[in-house]
Structure formats: structure tokens, C-alpha cells
Amino acid sequence: MQAKDVILGLLKKKKMSGYDIKKRFEEEFSYFFDSSYGSVYPTLKKLEENDLIKKETIIQEGKPNKHIFSITEKGEKLFEMYLHSEVKRDNIRSDTCMRLYFGEFMDVRKQISLIDNAILQNKKTINKLKQMYVQHNEQMSNTQKISLQIGIEHQRSQAKVLLEGKQKLVNELD
Amino acid sequence: MQAKDVILGLLKKKKMSGYDIKKRFEEEFSYFFDSSYGSVYPTLKKLEENDLIKKETIIQEGKPNKHIFSITEKGEKLFEMYLHSEVKRDNIRSDTCMRLYFGEFMDVRKQISLIDNAILQNKKTINKLKQMYVQHNEQMSNTQKISLQIGIEHQRSQAKVLLEGKQKLVNELD
DNA sequence: CTTATCATGTAACAGGTTACATGATTCT
DNA sequence: AGAATCATGTAACCTGTTACATGATAAG
């Protein structure tokens, strides 16, 4: 799964601009994908060059013209190929887990503050995702709901483990 | 968190070869980090060039000579800097979630088989991680245990959500 | 007999990030 | 007054992947 597959999928649902796409990444995809503008715009350019998407320009004043992209038939076929390709295994990079792994090189107080921060982040993310669920609930497909639920539960389970772990650290502190 | 930080941390615990390091990535780190040989060996080379680690060669027959790396004082300092740097937020790339997001473009049977496969993977990973816990339990630090627990619970929570979601899909099939 | 393990490394390439460049409008 | 939102894009860079190249030994 790469940026191009995801972008093609989004454009299959609805035509939109690079800016819109990036916004989706930050909102709906935040818990399983991310990519920067420096990846979105060049990818759109390449897709257009290969006739996988097409551009429509909307003239605007005070801001750069808006480029609305829509998927072509050729693009739909490529997206179809992605959907039929082998599912890649999840790829997680957790700096938090890494630091816990090397926790022995920090004093206990630092370990605890690391955990506290992580829990705080978890809670923020949970709120954000829950809100998304409430807001988009009705337009979401079954499988979209499952995917969102995975995100929420992932955060919850992490927060739970962290809190329990913290208790043990605190107890040993006395 | 990059390969170099992790490698430095591992070498701080114990001197070892590139091959050993990669093995650790596959075992202990599998649920929050991964990196290929094509990243490990060049990184070791760079670290050595910068006097952050040093090499010791063990002559072997029938296999390439073994290069055992150990961390230098300069390397320890750099690792210390990593430990004091800002914690990066987790980065997850889940092809499974992505496909669930685009589930509406697949027929329900395909959605279900996607879920079944994902659950199977979850279970395999849970077994592997549990085994790791049993085997290394006594040598593991508190925080290492927390980190491993996060991995296990992450898989469990995902499997749970997927199974519940699948039920709904199956029910709607009738 | 075939698979896994041990053991190193390079070259070509892909993919993505960060920082830069620009600037009006709207919300707080 | 200042932050956020809208809106595009490029250039330099970094990091990492895949595939290749080699080959003995041990285990099943």
C-alpha cells in the first residue's frame, strides 16, 4: 500500500484536491496511514502524467488556483489491481515502545513520565476518533466502522497496559 | 527513532554482529520496529566510520568472518541524546485497515476473507509474542515487559474488533 | 533432499520527509 | 494581534527496500 493506491481510492469515491486529500490523511486515516504534502503533490503529478487521474482547474482569487482531480478508467483499473494484490502485513514504528524497551537506561521517574505522556496522547487520539465516529457514523460503511474501531481499541488497549505498568513502577518506587 | 538509534541501544546492552542485530529486530522488536539487512549493514558501516562503534573480527571458516561491534564512548553519548530527544508519535501503516476503509469496493465475501486472514495473522503474532514472554520473562526489565504487553494487547484488541465486525457482516449476508 | 541457519555485503531504486517559498482570509 | 485555514508546489535530502551475489553446515 502506497500513497498512490490510497489517493486513487479516495478519488474513486469523490473528486478532490491535493489539499483535501492531505486533510483526509490527517483525519480519517490518522491511525493507519500518513503522508506529507511533499508526497501528495508529486504523486498527483505522476498519476496525472500517466493518465490515471485528470485535472480540472478552478480559478480563485487570493489563493492559488484549485486543482480538482478525478479518477480515469485507467486509474480505476489500477486501483482494482491494488485491491486484488496481496495484503501487506502491518508496519508499526513506535518510538514509545522503543524507549520502553530501553527503559533500563532511564531512571524510574523518567520512565513514569514517558508513560504519562504516552497515556495522554492515547486519550487525545481516542477522543478524536470517537468524535469522528459520532460525526460520520451515518455515512460510514460497515468495514469503515470496523477500521475505525480498530484504531480506537488499539489506543484503549495501549492506555490500559501503560496504566497498569505504571502502577507497578510506582509501587516499586516506595 | 531510526535504525542507528536502535542499533546503538542494542550494542550498549551487548556487543554483537549485524546478523545478530537483524535477528533481534525480527524477534524482540517485531511488533514496533523492523529494518532489513540492506539497512543494518550500511548503518553499521556509517556508525563505525564516525567512531560511534568499533569492530572486532572473528575469523571463521566456511562462513564469512564475523564482525562483532561494540559501542564507543562517543556512541554512548549519541544514544543518550536519543533518549533525551522528543518522543516521536507512533507511526502505523496498516494495509488491512486501508482495505477495510475501501471495503465498499469489494464484495462482502471478499471483505470477510480479508478479515479472516487478518485474524489469523493476529493469532500467530499473539502466540509468538506470548512465547517470547515465557522464554525471556526473567531477564526482562519492567518496561520491556510493558512494551511486550502493548504488542500482545494490540493484537488481541484488533482480533476482537475484527471478529465482532465479521459477525455483523455475516448476519447481513442472510 | 530440502529447508533453515549462519553470515556478509552492495547497487539500484523507491518512497517519503523537511524545509522553503508565497500569501489572502477568517476566526479567536 | 496572532493563529488557523485555505492552497499550491519544489529541492535537497535521508532512509530504507529489493534484489543480487556467495556459500557452508545443520537439521528434519
Side-chain angles (χ1 to χ4, degrees), chain B residues 1-173:
Chain B
M1 167 202 40
Q2 291 140 252
K4 69 167 198 289
D5 300 312
V6 187
I7 289 176
L8 246 21
L10 282 175
L11 295 181
K12 184 170 166 131
K13 280 179 178 256
K14 193 171 178 294
K15 59 183 181 177
M16 58 178 103
S17 67
Y19 188 81
D20 296 332
I21 289 168
K22 171 67 174 131
K23 223 175 9 168
R24 293 285 179 113
F25 286 176
E26 276 159 24
E27 288 162 14
E28 274 133 280
F29 290 5
S30 59
Y31 59 102
F32 63 85
F33 186 80
D34 193 30
S35 220
S36 61
Y37 283 123
S39 159
V40 172
Y41 286 117
T43 302
L44 284 168
K45 204 179 167 186
K46 260 181 231 163
L47 288 173
E48 203 204 347
E49 281 163 11
N50 292 309
D51 298 313
L52 298 158
I53 61 177
K54 60 174 192 282
K55 181 160 71 178
E56 194 182 321
T57 303
I58 291 174
I59 283 102
Q60 295 189 133
E61 274 164 50
K63 325 178 207 185
N65 289 336
K66 199 171 179 171
H67 299 303
I68 306 275
F69 295 93
S70 50
I71 194 166
T72 63
E73 256 179 70
K74 203 175 153 194
E76 299 231 12
K77 269 178 203 153
L78 193 68
F79 181 67
E80 215 54 42
M81 277 183 58
Y82 159 65
L83 281 187
H84 291 311
S85 70
E86 202 197 342
V87 180
K88 288 257 168 42
R89 71 177 188 302
D90 292 3
N91 184 310
I92 302 180
R93 259 190 184 213
S94 168
D95 197 11
T96 301
C97 283
M98 190 59 81
R99 282 163 203 257
L100 288 170
Y101 184 90
F102 290 122
E104 62 197 284
F105 299 127
M106 297 184 272
D107 62 62
V108 182
R109 258 158 263 273
K110 181 134 188 157
Q111 291 171 20
I112 292 175
S113 97
L114 173 69
I115 292 176
D116 282 335
N117 277 320
I119 293 177
L120 198 69
Q121 283 308 315
N122 289 142
K123 287 191 176 156
K124 273 189 198 164
T125 307
I126 293 171
N127 286 335
K128 191 178 134 193
L129 296 182
K130 267 186 177 168
Q131 218 185 321
M132 245 172 63
Y133 192 87
V134 173
Q135 268 171 30
H136 302 297
N137 187 18
E138 273 155 46
Q139 304 97 277
M140 281 165 74
S141 71
N142 281 322
T143 48
Q144 262 175 23
K145 284 181 196 164
I146 296 173
S147 141
L148 181 49
Q149 206 61 37
I150 285 175
I152 294 174
E153 291 306 324
H154 170 49
Q155 296 292 326
R156 278 201 186 128
S157 77
Q158 185 163 325
K160 191 170 158 258
V161 174
L162 285 168
L163 195 66
E164 283 165 12
K166 184 191 161 184
Q167 289 319 328
K168 270 187 205 158
L169 293 180
V170 171
N171 290 340
E172 282 179 29
L173 211 59

